[in-house]
């Protein structure tokens, strides 16, 4: 996945007429225009521009974008709540452009999984390098998470094997080496992983009480 062929969903924290003054509304419209222009000039595929409402998680699940860009002029904690729900099961790089320098908002964004939090930096010529950095950071973080998950999985498998070995040593009076070789032999004959055979032995023990 390269930045040039990214499928992007833009989430605009829209200001509705009547809820704010005209100046604020026009500023938000101009921000949305600059963002869209910058994305299109860089060759990105904008699959949708969505409001931050309760339907956002479902729409993101349907569209399956590669990246989510949040355009929020001020505090966007409500937007982040919807984003967290939308990316809970399938993480995606998230870039937030905002005018808010509030530290609490920034910390909330990072905790929600935002890859890049850009304050007062919405210029069309800056969009591409920002997305490049955000994507690289996301890939690095995802690699670390995958490695951590793999390490935890291997540790869990090792514990299962140790429990099964202990059970064989207790029930059949094997030495530790004999118990290991028994597990290994069973795994090879059944074309299973050592941990899978160990888990089956533990499952049978649980069934038999």
């Amino acid at each position: 996945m390269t930045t040039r062929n990214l499928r992007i969903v833009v989430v605009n924290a829209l200001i509705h007429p009547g809820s704010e003054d005209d100046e604020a509304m026009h500023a938000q419209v101009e921000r949305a225009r600059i963002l869209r222009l910058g994305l299109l000039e860089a060759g990105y595929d904008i699959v949708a521009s969505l409001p931050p409402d309760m339907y956002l998680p479902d729409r993101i699940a349907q569209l399956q974008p590669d990246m989510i860009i949040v355009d929020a002029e001020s505090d966007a904690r409500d937007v982040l709540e919807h984003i967290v729900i939308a990316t809970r099961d399938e993480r995606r790089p998230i870039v937030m452009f905002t005018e808010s320098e509030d530290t609490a908002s920034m910390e909330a964004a990072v905790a929600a999984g935002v890859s890049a939090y850009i304050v007062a930096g919405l210029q069309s010529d800056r969009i591409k390098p920002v997305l490049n950095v955000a994507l690289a950071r996301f890939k690095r973080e995802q690699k670390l998470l995958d490695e951590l998950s793999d390490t935890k999985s291997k540790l869990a498998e090792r514990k299962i094997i140790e429990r099964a070995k202990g059970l064989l040593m207790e029930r059949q009076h094997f030495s530790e080496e004999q118990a290991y070789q028994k597990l290994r032999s069973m795994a090879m004959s059944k074309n299973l992983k050592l941990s899978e055979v160990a888990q089956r032995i533990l499952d049978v023990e649980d069934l038999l009480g």
Side-chain angles (χ1 to χ4, degrees):
M1 178 172 57
T2 63
T3 52
R4 192 160 184 82
N5 60 11
L6 285 179
R7 299 177 67 256
I8 293 175
V9 159
V10 177
V11 179
N12 292 111
L14 297 175
I15 297 174
H16 299 286
S19 61
E20 295 286 346
D21 58 42
D22 288 342
E23 184 178 348
M25 186 175 68
H26 290 151
Q28 185 65 40
V29 170
E30 178 62 14
R31 287 173 56 81
R33 188 191 69 80
I34 292 172
L35 177 58
R36 183 174 183 81
L37 181 63
L39 291 171
L40 292 176
E41 286 181 345
Y44 300 127
D45 180 12
I46 305 174
V47 295
S49 293
L50 305 175
D53 56 23
M54 61 183 294
Y55 303 108
L56 181 62
D58 291 337
R59 293 298 310 280
I60 289 178
Q62 292 168 358
L63 294 167
Q64 291 292 304
D66 299 312
M67 177 180 283
I68 298 170
I69 295 179
V70 180
D71 177 23
E73 188 172 10
S74 57
D75 189 354
R77 272 173 272 197
D78 290 342
V79 181
L80 287 173
E81 289 179 9
H82 294 302
I83 296 292
V84 168
I85 295 172
T87 59
R88 182 170 48 200
D89 298 325
E90 188 173 352
R91 295 185 73 246
R92 292 179 172 86
I94 303 168
V95 176
M96 175 172 283
F97 291 97
T98 181
E99 297 298 319
S100 174
E101 298 183 15
D102 179 58
T103 303
S105 296
M106 189 180 301
E107 291 174 351
V110 172
V114 170
S115 306
Y117 187 93
I118 312 300
V119 178
L122 185 51
Q123 289 92 39
S124 59
D125 59 343
R126 286 194 60 197
I127 290 174
K128 185 175 181 178
V130 165
L131 298 197
N132 283 334
V133 171
L135 185 61
R137 181 179 297 170
F138 175 81
K139 287 181 176 179
R140 184 175 68 249
E141 290 176 351
Q142 193 63 41
K143 182 181 179 182
L144 291 173
L145 289 173
D146 290 342
E147 290 173 351
L148 179 60
S149 177
D150 185 53
T151 299
K152 288 182 177 179
S153 177
K154 288 179 179 178
L155 181 59
E157 289 180 357
R158 194 174 299 123
K159 288 181 178 179
I160 290 171
I161 293 169
E162 290 301 317
R163 285 179 58 201
K165 279 168 52 180
L167 190 61
L168 290 175
M169 292 166 66
E170 178 185 345
R171 292 284 189 266
Q172 301 188 29
H173 307 291
F174 285 162
S175 67
E176 183 175 357
E177 179 61 24
Q178 287 174 325
Y180 175 77
Q181 291 300 331
K182 179 66 174 178
L183 287 173
R184 190 167 178 270
S185 175
M186 292 172 66
M188 291 177 66
S189 66
K190 296 179 183 299
N191 196 28
L192 295 171
K193 293 170 59 178
L194 204 63
S195 60
E196 292 173 334
V197 169
Q199 185 61 61
R200 290 188 179 188
I201 291 174
L202 296 176
D203 290 343
V204 170
E205 176 66 15
D206 288 341
L207 288 172
L208 297 178

